Amino acid sequence: MEIVDRLRTLRLVPVVSLPSVEAGLRLSELLLGCRLNVIEITYRTECAGEAIEQICSRFPELIVIAGTVLSPEQVDQAVAAGVKGSVSPGFTPRLAAHCRQHDIGFFPGVCTPSEVQAAREEGLHHLKFFPASLSGGIKMIDLFKTLYPDVRFMPTGGISQENLDQYLDCANVLCCGGTWLSPEGMLAKGKWDEIEQRLKRAVDLLDRRD
């Protein structure tokens, strides 16, 4: 699947809860300027649906992923807007089937062996490990590598500039979700210089790994 290949190359996905559509548009410009052309917009704020639609329309070069997807209706809205993938905090067969019908990449959240197996039985081999730091972190990812060598993970929750390298060193990590890059409070206050510096530091780290 193309979205999986792109995420494997990018290695880091900014995960954002947008306080406004305008903040999303400004952040999209910063991401492209910093050569990090991907964003996961969570359905945690009222403006998420409109922001996803406008960002997909105005920035076609940006890979837009819908996050915190909880219902088929949100999947439908995201697909209509033009997203490349969808991420959910948990796994349900119903949501997996709906995404499969729409031929959209689906990365459900898992944090236990039972959840990994349930998703795997639905044909899903690329999963969000969430919340990563509260669910065993790198030690749990290492265990999953032994139990499920054909599954790759997107750890999210507790990933930071300081531990990003350690997570990316894990052979079964597809990419990491980064909530520290542009927190909602920072977006709401318009702290664009600080956000840009966070993005640049993360991209510099990724460049050093090449």
Side-chain angles (χ1 to χ4, degrees):
M1 186 175 289
E2 182 182 357
I3 182 64
V4 171
D5 292 336
R6 298 295 298 277
L7 293 179
R8 183 181 293 112
T9 300
L10 288 163
R11 294 166 292 177
L12 177 61
V13 179
V15 179
V16 302
S17 296
L18 295 174
S20 67
V21 174
E22 291 73 21
L25 296 173
R26 179 73 181 98
L27 178 60
S28 298
E29 293 175 347
L30 280 182
L31 289 170
L32 291 172
C34 292
R35 298 181 292 110
L36 191 57
N37 60 327
V38 60
I39 185 171
E40 179 186 325
I41 301 172
T42 68
Y43 274 108
R44 295 187 182 187
T45 59
E46 292 184 3
C47 70
E50 183 182 353
I52 288 172
E53 184 176 348
Q54 289 205 29
I55 291 170
C56 284
S57 175
R58 297 193 193 188
F59 302 98
E61 64 273 46
L62 191 65
I63 300 169
V64 180
I65 298 171
T68 319
V69 174
L70 303 178
S71 68
E73 291 75 23
Q74 288 175 330
V75 173
D76 293 341
Q77 183 185 46
V79 168
V83 302
K84 303 300 183 183
S86 59
V87 176
S88 179
F91 167 78
T92 66
R94 178 173 177 246
L95 204 53
H98 197 76
C99 289
R100 189 161 50 244
Q101 290 172 5
H102 283 284
D103 195 28
I104 183 174
F106 179 48
F107 304 88
V110 298
C111 63
T112 68
S114 294
E115 292 167 342
V116 175
Q117 282 187 215
R120 190 173 172 275
E121 287 181 3
E122 291 289 328
L124 298 168
H125 291 80
H126 298 93
L127 310 174
K128 174 181 179 177
F129 177 46
F130 176 81
S133 63
L134 297 178
S135 304
I138 290 172
K139 289 183 178 180
M140 183 61 82
I141 289 176
D142 284 340
L143 174 62
F144 285 156
K145 180 173 62 177
T146 302
L147 299 175
Y148 313 107
D150 58 345
V151 178
R152 298 293 178 269
F153 296 91
M154 182 194 300
T156 306
I159 314 301
S160 67
Q161 182 76 21
E162 289 68 35
N163 62 21
L164 177 60
D165 247 339
Q166 294 174 281
Y167 277 94
L168 291 178
D169 282 342
C170 298
N172 57 337
V173 165
L174 172 68
C175 63
C176 288
T179 58
W180 88 93
L181 296 164
S182 52
E184 184 178 355
M186 201 173 285
L187 290 168
K189 294 177 181 177
K191 294 188 175 182
W192 301 113
D193 289 343
E194 187 171 347
I195 290 171
E196 185 175 15
Q197 288 307 309
R198 290 188 179 204
L199 294 173
K200 286 182 176 179
R201 284 196 297 269
V203 171
D204 285 345
L205 185 153
L206 296 175
D207 286 344
R208 290 197 300 272
R209 293 181 59 86
D210 289 339

